[in-house]
Amino acid sequence: KINFSAGPSTLPLEILKQAQEQLCDYQGKGYSIMEISHRTKVFEEVHFGAQEKAKRLYGLNEDYEVLFLQGGASLQFAMIPMNLALNGICEYANTGIWTNKAIKEAQILGIKVKIVASSQENNFNHIPDVEFSDNADYAYICSNNTIYGTQYQNYPKTKAPLIVDASSDFFSKKVDFSNIAFFYGGVQKNAGISGLSCIFIRKDMLERSQNKKIPSMLSYAIHAQNNSLFNTPPTFAIYMFNLEMDWLLNQGGLDKVYENNFKKANILYNCIDSSEGFYQGHAKKKDRSLMNVSFNIPINTDLESVFIDEAQKEGMIGLKGHRILGGIRASIYNALNLDQVEILCEFMKKFQEKYA
Ligand code: PLP
């Protein structure tokens, strides 16, 4: 099957095979990686190796700490304001459901929130112009909007610490970290399996966390002080993430990964743009996502479910749009290759010939 699901999503087959080979007997040791303590050298090698490789891929130095947490990206919506808000205003750019949810969690905590830009009135079909105040406690964006298929081409320049939810374009391209204080995501779309969130936090932000009364499991400072081994972490998810880091490095790093992602997205958008309106993309062209391509069949939206069924019969799964937006969505994360995207395009052309 070719899996276009938005997440959890397809993994590189090599990784699945490697995990399968090692499942009962990790490196000839006679036990599974799932079966040993997180306090052993064997697991620590995986854990610290994964942290080091994640940083290497983004070209980060000692200024940043890598944390492996649970609770999905969704728990970060609450942990971020809990740990990083000061007594001022936390600013958000609202570009979809995931920023809406992040705003809501901050409000539940009684944090002062300001929405500095929003594309809600246009059903989130673009990234609005965003300008954050210099003195905001932090400036929050979601780099890629999984449902609507929009993506920041460049992050806003900010004096305030920039926080980025990169869940759906994690490890898909190089990123300029010069004003990024906090960069995070659930890894289940582009870099592993569900159950693990990976957080890059600039060390000066840990001071904010340290100075607050926060339950230990929700404190970035506590997790950092314990090398992200404060309690039992999701060891198997970290093991899979480590394999994924190796795979990304073997691809030639994030520049090479980006090159490939760019080509894949271009193939798909060309297919939409050359369909003479049979297919219509949701996102404005300037903000199109390289990861999630959301589109409709405007002449007759009933054809969308026919499209999804017929594609499934040809081995292509996960193409149903998110329930909020409807339509069709092809998620083309790191692990999908060019040939697989071309197969989808061929199908789209034939489908159009049949039904236009
Ligand atoms: N942020 C973005 C951009 C997402 O796409 C998602 C889930 O799809 C989330 C956050 C929430 O992630 P989780 O389900 O890991 O909590």
Side-chain angles (χ1 to χ4, degrees), residues 6 71-75 77 98 142 144-146 165 167-168 186 188-189:
S74 297
L75 184 59
F77 298 162
W98 302 114
C142 176
N144 183 78
N145 297 281
T146 326
D165 172 1
S167 292
S168 52
Q188 66 269 22
K189 299 172 192 302

Side-chain angles (χ1 to χ4, degrees), residues 6-7 71-77 98-99 101 140 142-147 165-169 184-189 194-197 292 322 329 333:
S74 297
L75 184 59
Q76 297 312 308
F77 298 162
W98 302 114
T99 48
K101 290 195 178 199
Y140 184 104
C142 176
S143 60
N144 183 78
N145 297 281
T146 326
I147 295 170
D165 172 1
S167 292
S168 52
D169 60 0
Y184 79 99
V187 306
Q188 66 269 22
K189 299 172 192 302
S194 62
L196 178 69
S197 305
N292 311 96
H322 190 278
R329 172 175 56 174
Y333 298 127

Side-chain angles (χ1 to χ4, degrees), residues 141-332:
I141 63 167
C142 176
S143 60
N144 183 78
N145 297 281
T146 326
I147 295 170
Y148 305 94
T150 62
Q151 185 176 27
Y152 283 84
Q153 309 303 309
N154 296 296
Y155 296 160
K157 292 277 162 245
T158 58
K159 288 231 169 74
L162 185 66
I163 295 184
V164 183
D165 172 1
S167 292
S168 52
D169 60 0
F170 227 9
F171 295 95
S172 69
K173 59 176 181 179
K174 275 260 168 71
V175 168
D176 173 10
F177 268 76
S178 54
N179 58 335
I180 294 180
F182 192 96
F183 189 79
Y184 79 99
V187 306
Q188 66 269 22
K189 299 172 192 302
N190 240 347
I193 62 171
S194 62
L196 178 69
S197 305
C198 175
I199 280 105
F200 296 89
I201 181 166
R202 211 175 57 205
K203 284 184 179 161
D204 60 297
M205 300 303 279
L206 291 170
E207 281 165 32
R208 295 190 183 191
S209 169
Q210 214 153 19
N211 296 332
K212 290 178 171 228
K213 266 209 161 141
I214 296 173
S216 307
M217 271 300 282
L218 300 177
S219 160
Y220 295 133
I222 298 274
H223 284 293
Q225 279 155 20
N226 290 278
N227 294 321
S228 208
L229 287 164
F230 173 68
N231 74 323
T232 315
T235 52
F236 190 70
I238 293 170
Y239 160 77
M240 291 299 289
F241 178 78
N242 188 40
L243 294 185
E244 183 89 31
M245 295 298 102
D246 287 330
W247 183 81
L248 290 166
L249 287 164
N250 287 337
Q251 300 297 300
L254 296 188
D255 279 336
K256 277 271 175 265
V257 169
Y258 171 76
E259 229 173 79
N260 203 36
N261 285 332
F262 186 79
K263 280 188 201 151
K264 286 185 305 191
N266 255 2
I267 292 173
L268 206 42
Y269 285 122
N270 279 340
C271 190
I272 290 172
D273 292 341
S274 59
S275 73
E276 292 171 350
F278 184 78
Y279 299 111
Q280 191 174 56
H282 177 73
K284 283 199 174 167
K285 282 190 186 173
K286 71 176 180 66
D287 298 324
R288 280 173 162 175
S289 164
L290 298 190
M291 299 281 104
N292 311 96
V293 180
S294 294
F295 59 98
N296 287 92
I297 302 180
I299 54 158
N300 178 3
T301 49
D302 288 344
L303 279 177
E304 290 161 1
S305 55
V306 180
F307 179 102
I308 290 158
D309 286 348
E310 289 194 8
Q312 184 144 8
K313 283 189 194 122
E314 300 211 11
M316 287 172 273
I317 61 169
L319 284 163
K320 194 169 187 308
H322 190 278
R323 61 190 184 282
I324 288 171
L325 188 65
I328 302 160
R329 172 175 56 174
S331 297
I332 47 174

